[in-house]
Every structure is written in C-alpha cells, then in structure tokens.
Amino acid sequence: MAIGVLALLGFQLVDSAFVARLGTAPLAAQSFTFPLSFLIIGIQVGMGIAIAALISRALGADEHARAKRLTSLVLLAGGAVIGVLSIGLWLFHEPVFRLLGADNTALSYIRIYWGPQLFSAWLGAVLYFIYSVFRAHGNTKLPGKMMVLSSVANLVLDPLLIFGVGSWEGLGLPGAAWATCIAFTLGLVITSQALIRKQWVSNVGLLDEAKHSWRPYVGIAAPAMVSQLMPPLASMLTIAVVAGLGDTQVAAWGLASRLETLSLMVILAMTMSLPPWLGRCYGAGDWGQIQQLIRLALKVAVIWQLGLGVILALGAPWLAMALAGTPNVQSELTLLIRFLLPSYAALGVCMLVVSAGNVLGWPLRAMLLSSARLFVCYLPCLWVGSLLFGWWGLAAGAAIGNLLAGLTAWAVLVRILSRPQRQAGYNG
C-alpha cells in the first residue's frame, strides 16, 4: 500500500509540477481547487473507512454472504453520494471560489478546469471504494498495483494533454484533469473485473441488508466523514489566509500541500491497511493484538516520518527548484518545506489514532480528536503566526500546530487503551 500511495500521490504532485510550467496564474488557480477536491476525498475516505470496517467485521465473524451484500450496497451508495456532491460543487463553484479569494484571472482558469476535475474525482472515489473492499478482504496487492499503473498512465498522458504533441498545442490546465480521468478509468475497468471474478458482490437480499446495516454503517461513516471533512474545511480557511499574502504564496502553498500528502505516503498506507487488521481483531475481541498493532504502527510512523522530514528539510532548496517554475515560488516553498516536513511525524501519530478509533468502536472520539487537531491546534497557531510574522510565522505556526496535535492524540490513545476491559489478554 505504501508503494501504491506513493504512486497515486506522486502523480498528483506530477500534475502540479507540469502545471507550474504553464505559469504562476494556472498553478494558483489549481491551488484554489485543492480544498474542494479534498472535500470530496474526505467524504470518500470516510465512507471507505466504514466499508472496510463493516466488511472486515463480517469476515471476522465468518459472515461471508453478508460481506458480499455489503459490498454491493456500499459501492452503489458511495457512487451516488459522490456523484450528487460533484454536481453541486459544479453548480455553485463560482461563489465558493470567490469566497476563497480567487480573482477574475484565477476564475477564468478554474472554469475550464473544474468540470473535468470533478469528473476525475468521481471516478477516483468509485475506484477508492473498490480498493476498500479489497483491503477489507486482506488483499492490498491489487490496490497497490493499480495505484502504480494509474500513476504511470497519468505521468505519460500529462505532458501530452497539457502541452500537446507535434502541431497540436494541447489542452493546457484542463489537460491535467483529463489525464487523471483516463488513468482512473483504466483502473476501474481492471478492478471491477477482478471484483466480479472473485465473487465478492451479490445482488440477492440487498434490500433486507440495507434495512439491517444502514444504522451501523452510518454510525461509523458519519463521524468518519466529519473527521475527514475537517481537513478540507481547514484547508479552505488556510487558503483564505494565504490568499491575503499574494498569488506567489498561494502557488507555493498549493505545491506544499501536494508534497505533504506525498511525504505522508507511509502514514496514509497504514491508515488504509491497519483498519482491516484491527477490525478482525475487534470482531474476535483480541485487544492484546490490537495494542501490539497500534504500538508498532506508531513507532514506524514517528521514526520514518521524522527521518524523512529532516532529510527533505536539508534538501529544501533543491526540492523547491525541481517543483516550482519561478524563483519567487521556489523561495517561498523552501521555507514551507523546512518548517512543515519534520512536523509531519507528530501529524502521523494523530492520523493513525483517528484511523484506529473509527474501526475500534470510538468514532465519536476520533471525530473530536480530528476537529481539535485542526481547529484548536493547527489553524489558531497558523493564523496567529501569519498575523505576527507574515509568511515565516505562518509556516512556523503550522508546524507548531502539528506538534500539539500529535501530543494530544498520544494522550487520548494512552487513556483509552489503559481501561481494564481493553487490557485483557495483552502480553506485549
């Protein structure tokens, strides 16, 4: 899954790197769309968490027929929800982007880019739901391979569709979105065939299953979606703060956002692969194994993320030069990398605790923790820092907010797992 996440997030960074060659204005326009794109991703991840949790619990209880019915239901419902959301975001995109601080120049680029970008987001969401089904069954190899395949397809198509070939001038900014659409379609064709071939879906008894399972599904999905919606909401508020500093800062922040997700590839892989394991242990009541898994995941997260963050911070000028197209954007991006990348070790701890909470029966606490991370720790520090010290203060404030979030998540986890009923059978 780490390899797959690296490939998937890598092609998003590749998109931004190619778009940066079009100029600061197209890159800034694309950066304005990130918060709304993250809104869709947040909902799909929340639904995916519930998919993996319910199906893995059913498999852990040896209810294979129910797992098939759940698979069919969640794929149909998930595709419908993301489709309706995408239509709504298209209909009201102009007033929303103006609220985020986009000017007329940025809006002129957004209008031609946002439609195909929303279509690619819907395709990616359906593909993500299928990945969640495979992960619930303990199969992470196919999703990982498909993420690599789709990223390679996108890497090949990006320069062709953005810049053109021969006498054809290409599509410019929309070309990045259409390249993603084609790559996701390829992944959907292959994974859908594999899903049917493994006979993990069913068209029998779906109505009765929906009546029986909608409450537990919503009980997991709703808090998980709220938790996942907090980052895009915070991202909208952040981009509004950054927009007040100028287009160069917006462009640099957009690149840093893509670099953030790429640098968190191992953490994101664990948030995808750990819940099915935890779900099966939860179904069997094995809290000893649950504690061992969580502690191992947190150790890996801190050691890996801190080491990677320090290395990238030391190489910040060269990394910024490779990603940004203009010296001004490179300078601002360098500052962000040096402050933010090491702080992602603490952010990774918080992400893993939230992911574990959604599948272990405390989704409400996970939601509250996610909210506190953003609106108590991250945003206030970022905003105060920008007011006092401008761009330098914004970067430092964001890093401090991540550190506070990680410490808070660790304190919450220790308190929950120390309860007597969750110590039974633990020999670690």
Side-chain angles (χ1 to χ4, degrees), residues 184-196:
F184 282 159
T185 300
L186 176 63
L188 274 173
V189 170
I190 297 175
T191 54
S192 298
Q193 291 177 346
L195 192 66
I196 295 171

Side-chain angles (χ1 to χ4, degrees), residues 284-295:
D286 189 354
W287 279 97
Q289 183 69 13
I290 287 172
Q291 292 213 24
Q292 292 183 45
L293 286 169
I294 292 176
R295 292 186 181 191

Side-chain angles (χ1 to χ4, degrees), residues 40-112:
I40 298 174
I41 292 173
I43 292 177
Q44 81 181 40
V45 170
M47 298 182 74
I49 289 169
I51 291 170
L54 286 184
I55 295 176
S56 64
R57 288 181 186 180
L59 293 172
D62 204 25
E63 298 175 342
H64 294 278
R66 184 178 178 227
K68 293 181 180 181
R69 295 192 298 269
L70 286 170
T71 298
S72 299
L73 286 172
V74 294
L75 291 179
L76 292 171
V81 168
I82 300 299
V84 171
L85 176 63
S86 298
I87 293 172
L89 289 175
W90 167 251
L91 293 176
F92 300 101
H93 72 276
E94 184 163 338
V96 171
F97 284 119
R98 287 196 181 277
L99 284 174
L100 293 178
D103 56 20
N104 290 332
T105 301
L107 281 172
S108 66
Y109 285 102
I110 291 171
R111 289 189 189 100
I112 59 175

Side-chain angles (χ1 to χ4, degrees), residues 339-408:
F339 273 103
L340 294 181
L341 270 294
S343 75
Y344 293 157
L347 175 60
V349 171
C350 189
M351 291 171 64
L352 285 173
V353 173
V354 170
S355 178
N358 284 318
V359 77
L360 293 179
W362 24 287
L364 182 58
R365 290 187 181 90
M367 180 191 72
L368 294 175
L369 178 59
S370 183
S371 301
R373 172 178 83 83
L374 294 167
F375 298 105
V376 177
C377 301
Y378 181 76
L379 277 173
C381 290
L382 178 147
W383 179 65
V384 171
S386 67
L387 284 180
L388 296 178
F389 304 106
W391 185 242
W392 181 92
L394 183 143
I400 293 171
N402 287 334
L403 179 60
L404 293 175
L407 294 173
T408 302

Side-chain angles (χ1 to χ4, degrees), residues 208-283:
D208 289 339
E209 185 61 46
K211 293 178 181 178
H212 175 69
S213 299
W214 76 269
R215 288 183 183 275
Y217 179 80
V218 172
I220 299 173
M225 281 192 287
V226 172
S227 296
Q228 296 298 323
L229 288 175
M230 295 298 106
L233 177 57
S235 182
M236 292 179 193
L237 296 174
T238 300
I239 203 71
V241 173
V242 175
L245 300 175
D247 283 349
T248 299
Q249 284 73 19
V250 172
W253 188 265
L255 287 173
S257 298
R258 289 295 175 94
L259 185 59
E260 172 185 321
T261 51
L262 181 62
S263 68
L264 288 167
M265 61 176 182
V266 171
I267 306 297
L268 292 169
M270 285 196 289
T271 63
M272 295 177 185
S273 57
L274 188 62
W277 288 19
L278 295 177
R280 293 196 180 199
C281 294
Y282 181 83

